[in-house]
Amino acid sequence: MKQFWITSGTYDYLKSLKAKDNSVVVMEGEETAVAFKEGQEEAPFEEARHYEIVDEVGNLSDEGYVVLNNIPVTSEGRPLFEERFKDRAGTIENEEGFLAIRILRPTRNNTYVVFTEWDSEASFKKWRESQAFEKAHQKSGPDSGEKPSFIDGPSYLTKLQSRNEE
Ligand code: HEM
């Protein structure tokens, strides 16, 4: 199964890891820089969050805007959560500016990650305000009346942006 690693650190340090392994993607987060990598071969990170990729569409890009939706899930709820994502709307793929999605199963904690990458923040915002977003979340999203049984705490977003390096 393909794997995924996420770590944080200073931008320059993470860039030095990318110099050794070009498949590492480095972005600016709100507080620190963040690097991620996917594949079979272990990431060159000292400490990382580790995931298995449950579903994926599109290629990761060094240039883009990434939003991670971090969703704590109970251990009993994992199969149901993954079922729901197997049946996901699958309309995000058609959105303008969409680059990639990964559904990430945590191996060391309870928090799944819905990773999406966009060509720009504007494209993400447009989808976030769209009917497609609303439809995909009728049973689960921020505006749905009842909280799904598998949820184990509040979900939170992490936003990352590639640095403009001309
Ligand atoms: C309280 C907040 C949220 C919860 C609990 C939640 C949970 C879920 C669940 C369970 C699904 C699978 C479909 C279903 O069964 O409903 C889903 C779909 C999805 N969610 Fe969320 N979500 C939330 C907000 C967000 C936000 C803010 C984003 C932005 C990154 C996001 C990204 C996605 C994506 C990309 C899909 C798949 C859509 C598609 O296939 O077209 N979610 N979400």
Side-chain angles (χ1 to χ4, degrees):
M1 180 171 266
K2 213 164 137 191
Q3 304 175 75
F4 200 104
W5 294 265
I6 305 177
T7 194
S8 54
T10 66
Y11 191 82
D12 290 344
Y13 173 67
L14 297 176
K15 273 284 176 180
S16 75
L17 300 180
K18 182 177 179 66
K20 289 181 235 155
D21 177 349
N22 194 42
S23 68
V24 170
V25 177
V26 183
M27 292 199 171
E28 301 272 18
E30 278 144 12
E31 278 153 27
T32 61
V34 172
F36 49 88
K37 176 195 158 101
E38 66 182 0
Q40 303 289 358
E41 201 184 309
E42 186 147 2
F45 302 153
E46 275 176 36
E47 266 182 50
R49 288 185 278 149
H50 175 241
Y51 305 88
E52 291 160 350
I53 300 178
V54 177
D55 186 22
E56 61 172 311
V57 178
N59 293 320
L60 303 183
S61 168
D62 283 313
E63 279 171 44
Y65 183 75
V66 166
V67 182
L68 308 173
N69 189 17
N70 304 275
I71 310 179
V73 174
T74 62
S75 30
E76 320 81 75
R78 282 178 170 228
L80 181 57
F81 177 85
E82 293 188 17
E83 263 322 285
R84 291 276 290 264
F85 271 92
K86 263 188 213 131
D87 288 344
R88 71 184 172 82
T91 49
I92 192 171
E93 287 89 336
N94 309 323
E95 295 293 308
E96 201 182 310
F98 167 88
L99 296 178
I101 183 169
R102 301 287 183 272
I103 309 302
L104 304 176
R105 174 199 293 143
T107 60
R108 298 176 194 144
N109 62 44
N110 70 342
T111 304
Y112 279 78
V113 176
V114 182
F115 171 110
T116 57
E117 185 166 8
W118 304 86
D119 66 350
S120 65
E121 182 178 11
S123 294
F124 165 70
K125 283 192 165 156
K126 213 168 142 207
W127 172 71
R128 181 64 187 79
E129 301 301 319
S130 71
Q131 292 263 322
F133 177 89
E134 219 174 287
K135 269 198 144 167
H137 287 95
Q138 267 166 355
K139 292 186 286 180
S140 58
D143 300 327
S144 74
E146 70 187 274
K147 200 176 68 146
S149 61
F150 49 76
I151 298 290
D152 200 23
S155 58
Y156 57 95
L157 296 183
T158 314
K159 297 173 174 175
L160 311 173
Q161 170 89 65
S162 59
R163 194 190 271 191
N164 199 343
E165 289 174 295
E166 262 132 72

